[in-house]
């Protein structure tokens, strides 16, 4: 997640009455105390993966730096373990060059895998995405980026595992984007120059960015303001999800907390591709060296990943129904 207007927004919030922050109400499930038994994924595996990917060994995963390359190898190792195929040319890596915020040319690498759907060759394509890059290392230390966005990467890997066992209707591309923190560069490049294998078939983006904290017990589905047809999909999942799933953060009334263009779903939105972005509200550790694994409540993360998977299943059904 990149929030370039964050500081200005905080100042604004401090000297004005709170904006209307009430999203259309979705039914909130009762969250009970105790250990939540994950229904759709391996919570032990996911927690271990989150700890590993956000450990100091990955040095904050900054685009172009050794820790980022190490993260690429780690993600590809997981994809190979799950037995999921590369999208193109027998190589998971799709390299690109792009200017960053400051106009400096950077080299990035998206990691792309595919699971073929049951509908066959001309099936719609759903891109499920999460960025793996983060801010690297600074004077304060290592920006581990557990929530931003090791959490989305791990949730996406669990989504891969789920659909390997439960074949989807549509073709699913799993995109681990690079250089999100450099201005959504990886996703912008992907949408600008779509891989031949999916050209003309791009139907949907489900983007995951910051899905582990839910300090208020809530995760947001962003996008229904732009695509109101998706409201029943989100509300349908919200009725049975193990974590409160709310709509919002996607219209001008949210002010600087309108997240419509703040993560990798933005290039899809600009290209007219329907999307849902799942993410939690800002927390005190956002873009700080304190965004670390010990801040994550394992039960909340398990509930969140299950909720992500329920949305992913619902998106697959929605896109299949739309194509009929
Ligand atoms: Zn970020």
């Amino acid at each position: 997640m990149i929030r370039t207007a964050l500081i200005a927004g905080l100042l604004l919030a401090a000297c004005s009455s709170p904006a209307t922050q009430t999203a259309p109400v979705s039914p909130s499930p009762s969250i009970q105390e105790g250990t939540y038994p994950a229904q759709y994924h391996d919570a032990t595996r996911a927690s271990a993966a989150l700890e590993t990917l956000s450990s100091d060994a990955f040095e904050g995963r900054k685009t172009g730096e050794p820790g980022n390359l190490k993260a690429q190898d780690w993600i590809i190792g997981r994809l190979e373990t799950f037995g999921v195929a590369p999208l193109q040319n027998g190589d998971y890596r799709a390299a690109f060059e792009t200017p960053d915020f400051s106009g400096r040319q950077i080299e990035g690498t998206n990691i792309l895998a595919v699971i073929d759907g049951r509908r066959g060759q001309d099936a719609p394509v759903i891109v499920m995405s999460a960025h793996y890059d983060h801010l690297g290392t600074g004077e304060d230390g290592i920006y581990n980026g557990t929530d931003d966005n090791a959490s989305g990467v791990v949730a996406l890997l669990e989504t891969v595992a789920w659909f390997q066992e439960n074949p989807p209707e549509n073709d699913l591309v799993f995109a681990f984007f690079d250089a999100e923190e450099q201005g959504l560069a990886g996703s912008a490049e992907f949408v600008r120059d779509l891989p031949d294998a999916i050209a003309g078939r791009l139907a949907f983006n489900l983007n995951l960015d910051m899905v582990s904290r839910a300090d208020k017990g809530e995760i947001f589905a962003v996008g229904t303001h732009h695509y109101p047809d998706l409201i029943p999909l989100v509300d349908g999942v919200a009725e049975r999800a193990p974590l409160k799933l709310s709509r919002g953060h996607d219209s001008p009334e949210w002010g600087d907390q309108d997240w419509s263009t703040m993560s990798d779903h933005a290039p899809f939105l600009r290209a007219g591709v329907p999307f849902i972005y799942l993410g939690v509200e800002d927390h005190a550790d956002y873009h700080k060296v304190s965004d670390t694994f010990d801040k994550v409540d394992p039960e909340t993360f398990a509930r969140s990943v299950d909720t992500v998977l329920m949305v992913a299943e619902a998106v697959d059904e929605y896109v299949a129904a739309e194509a009929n």
Side-chain angles (χ1 to χ4, degrees):
M1 180 75 93
I2 43 170
R3 307 255 166 84
T4 48
L6 187 64
I7 306 247
L10 286 174
L11 291 172
L12 194 67
C15 55
S16 66
S17 58
T20 308
Q21 299 270 309
T22 313
V25 179
S26 49
S28 45
S30 58
I31 295 182
Q32 290 151 2
E33 295 296 317
T35 305
Y36 169 72
Q39 304 290 308
Y40 296 91
H41 73 287
D42 182 334
T44 303
R45 176 177 66 193
S47 183
L50 186 65
E51 184 168 22
T52 298
L53 185 60
S54 60
S55 66
D56 288 355
F58 292 85
E59 300 169 338
R61 308 186 299 280
K62 188 174 184 181
T63 300
E65 296 191 351
N68 179 286
L69 303 181
K70 189 179 169 88
Q72 292 174 27
D73 289 341
W74 182 85
I75 292 166
I76 289 170
R78 300 307 301 151
L79 294 173
E80 287 172 343
T81 298
F82 293 142
V84 62
L87 177 61
Q88 51 186 2
N89 305 330
D91 190 351
Y92 294 102
R93 289 182 172 86
F96 61 89
E97 282 190 37
T98 184
D100 69 2
F101 283 131
S102 61
R104 186 178 60 103
Q105 201 72 2
I106 55 169
E107 291 181 22
T109 304
N110 293 331
I111 298 170
L112 308 174
V114 67
I115 295 178
D116 290 333
R118 293 183 293 206
R119 297 175 64 90
Q121 265 193 333
D122 299 321
V125 170
I126 300 168
V127 174
M128 299 187 176
S129 58
H131 77 88
Y132 70 89
D133 69 296
H134 194 47
L135 302 170
T137 302
E139 284 178 8
D140 297 347
I142 298 171
Y143 289 79
N144 297 95
T146 300
D147 191 40
D148 186 8
N149 183 32
S151 67
V153 169
V154 170
L156 191 59
L157 286 167
E158 290 298 322
T159 309
V160 169
W162 168 262
F163 283 112
Q164 277 291 71
E165 296 295 319
N166 303 275
E169 294 290 333
N170 309 279
D171 287 0
L172 304 186
V173 169
F174 297 92
F176 300 84
F177 287 131
D178 197 1
E180 191 269 357
E181 306 284 15
Q182 315 290 329
L184 318 180
S187 54
E189 181 63 19
F190 177 87
V191 171
R192 187 190 69 74
D193 185 17
L194 279 182
D196 291 344
I198 65 169
R201 295 194 290 137
L202 183 53
F204 205 97
N205 172 233
L206 175 63
N207 185 42
L208 313 174
D209 190 357
M210 298 170 60
V211 298
S212 66
R213 292 290 292 267
D215 294 354
K216 295 177 195 160
E218 183 176 31
I219 190 167
F220 278 86
V222 174
T224 58
H225 172 76
H226 304 282
Y227 293 97
D229 288 356
L230 299 174
I231 291 172
L233 185 165
V234 173
D235 288 0
V237 173
E239 281 175 18
R240 53 199 174 85
L243 187 64
K244 185 179 178 188
L245 177 66
S246 301
R247 290 185 271 112
H249 286 289
D250 53 6
S251 63
E253 72 189 60
W254 289 85
D256 73 301
Q257 289 297 307
D258 176 355
W259 301 341
S260 296
T261 59
M262 296 204 176
S263 180
D264 288 320
H265 50 279
F268 294 88
L269 170 62
R270 293 188 181 109
V273 177
F275 74 95
I276 291 174
Y277 156 54
L278 297 176
V280 300
E281 295 211 294
D282 281 348
H283 46 74
D285 304 305
Y286 168 74
H287 277 208
K288 295 209 175 86
V289 293
S290 52
D291 178 6
T292 47
F293 177 72
D294 58 293
K295 303 285 174 53
V296 174
D297 169 48
E299 174 156 337
T300 299
F301 187 49
R303 289 175 181 275
S304 177
V305 175
D306 263 4
T307 302
V308 165
L309 275 159
M310 294 168 80
V311 172
E313 272 275 311
V315 165
D316 185 43
E317 287 168 17
Y318 172 86
V319 170
E322 287 290 295
N324 279 334

